[in-house]
Amino acid sequence: MVQHWHFPVLFATGLVAGFVDSIAGGGGLITIPVLLSVGLGPQETLGTNKLQATFGSGSASWHYAAARTVPIRDCVRGFLFSLLGAGFGALVVQQLDPSFLRGAIPFLLFAAAVYTVFKPKLGTADLQPRIPHLWFDVLFGLVIGFYDGFFGPGTGTFWTMAYMLGLGFNMARATGYTKVMNFASNLSSLIFFLIGGKVYFGAGLVMGIGQLAGARIGSKMVIAKGTGLIRPIFIAVVLALTIKLAYDAFAR
């Protein structure tokens, strides 16, 4: 049971996670261990994490849109397909064990980090798209949305890399679009956790308020500083996520 003294800790956790997540993703690395440590069970932790993450991704999306880093009209189709994909993933995960992904995902994330390190010009400027925007929204909305609803870790990394490699976006622009798609899949997954009664509202709302503030600070820094700020944080977060998932998959 969550105690009263836990709430300041949960707020601070949401603040830090919202800041990191709005820049490079990976906020779950911070929030999930804290939720588990205050006494929530695994399913309640995942459901509550989706609640607070929805606040953060929604806040970041709003600020990127307000700064015109992300034109909302360009996101509608991708948002809908991400919503659909995540909902389907949340349904399927109730029937299948996602453990088979635990061994593969760390390698994919590590490959993304290595590729970013050895391609220093990746995301520094907009390039010509390699995939028509329509097909991009349908394919990646369904696939990455499904992944987020089914398993989740590294979703932000996969979206950012997809936008840079598929549509040629610079890293700051890709980060903004990523948060809109994260908001869609978080929202869709949250609905299914709510239906299942797996959300602890006290912890989720307190962390969500922290997420709102942290995402506001982080998104404003990205808008002001651009790729120069995102790149080192992105690489660090992806490597940290890789190590954590590899430990969970193999060391345990």
Side-chain angles (χ1 to χ4, degrees), residues 204-239:
L205 292 175
V206 169
M207 292 182 80
I209 294 170
Q211 279 268 1
L212 287 173
R216 175 184 176 86
I217 297 168
S219 57
K220 285 184 174 295
M221 289 183 66
V222 170
I223 292 164
K225 302 293 185 180
T227 302
L229 170 71
I230 304 171
R231 183 182 171 82
I233 298 178
F234 177 82
I235 293 171
V237 168
V238 174
L239 288 175

Side-chain angles (χ1 to χ4, degrees), residues 100-181:
F100 68 90
L101 287 174
R102 292 194 180 107
I105 297 303
F107 292 102
L108 294 177
L109 289 171
F110 183 69
V114 170
Y115 188 84
T116 305
V117 168
F118 287 97
K119 287 282 187 179
K121 293 186 178 180
L122 179 68
T124 57
D126 286 335
L127 302 173
Q128 284 294 109
R130 295 183 174 92
I131 304 173
H133 208 144
L134 170 61
W135 287 108
F136 180 91
D137 288 340
V138 174
L139 175 63
F140 289 101
L142 290 175
V143 172
I144 301 180
F146 176 87
Y147 170 77
D148 196 20
F150 187 76
F151 190 58
T155 298
T157 300
F158 295 137
W159 267 120
T160 301
M161 295 298 292
Y163 273 113
M164 290 192 296
L165 297 175
L167 294 183
F169 286 8
N170 67 67
M171 189 172 276
R173 189 180 177 196
T175 299
Y177 276 76
T178 289
K179 297 322 297 177
V180 177
M181 300 307 140

Side-chain angles (χ1 to χ4, degrees), residues 3-249:
Q3 304 296 319
H4 291 301
W5 65 268
H6 289 148
F7 288 110
V9 175
L10 292 170
F11 174 82
T13 299
L15 180 70
V16 174
F19 174 78
V20 172
D21 216 26
S22 66
I23 297 174
L29 277 176
I30 302 168
T31 57
I32 288 178
V34 172
L35 286 169
L36 287 169
S37 72
V38 299
L40 270 65
Q43 290 188 333
E44 288 76 14
T45 290
L46 293 175
T48 304
N49 186 61
K50 284 298 182 185
L51 174 60
Q52 64 90 33
T54 300
F55 278 84
S57 56
S59 175
S61 299
W62 172 267
H63 291 297
Y64 283 123
R68 298 184 179 179
T69 303
V70 179
I72 293 298
R73 289 182 305 175
D74 289 352
C75 297
V76 172
R77 187 171 53 221
F79 186 95
L80 293 175
F81 280 106
S82 297
L83 203 70
L84 181 63
F88 186 54
L91 282 174
V92 172
V93 77
Q94 298 178 52
Q95 310 299 323
L96 300 175
D97 183 358
S99 60
F100 68 90
L101 287 174
R102 292 194 180 107
I105 297 303
F107 292 102
L108 294 177
L109 289 171
F110 183 69
V114 170
Y115 188 84
T116 305
V117 168
F118 287 97
K119 287 282 187 179
K121 293 186 178 180
L122 179 68
T124 57
D126 286 335
L127 302 173
Q128 284 294 109
R130 295 183 174 92
I131 304 173
H133 208 144
L134 170 61
W135 287 108
F136 180 91
D137 288 340
V138 174
L139 175 63
F140 289 101
L142 290 175
V143 172
I144 301 180
F146 176 87
Y147 170 77
D148 196 20
F150 187 76
F151 190 58
T155 298
T157 300
F158 295 137
W159 267 120
T160 301
M161 295 298 292
Y163 273 113
M164 290 192 296
L165 297 175
L167 294 183
F169 286 8
N170 67 67
M171 189 172 276
R173 189 180 177 196
T175 299
Y177 276 76
T178 289
K179 297 322 297 177
V180 177
M181 300 307 140
N182 276 158
F183 179 53
S185 54
N186 283 335
L187 185 62
S188 183
S189 301
L190 174 61
I191 290 170
F192 287 93
F193 280 112
L194 286 170
I195 292 171
K198 301 300 183 183
V199 178
Y200 188 90
F201 284 95
L205 292 175
V206 169
M207 292 182 80
I209 294 170
Q211 279 268 1
L212 287 173
R216 175 184 176 86
I217 297 168
S219 57
K220 285 184 174 295
M221 289 183 66
V222 170
I223 292 164
K225 302 293 185 180
T227 302
L229 170 71
I230 304 171
R231 183 182 171 82
I233 298 178
F234 177 82
I235 293 171
V237 168
V238 174
L239 288 175
L241 187 57
T242 301
I243 293 168
K244 172 65 168 58
L245 292 176
Y247 173 78
D248 289 343

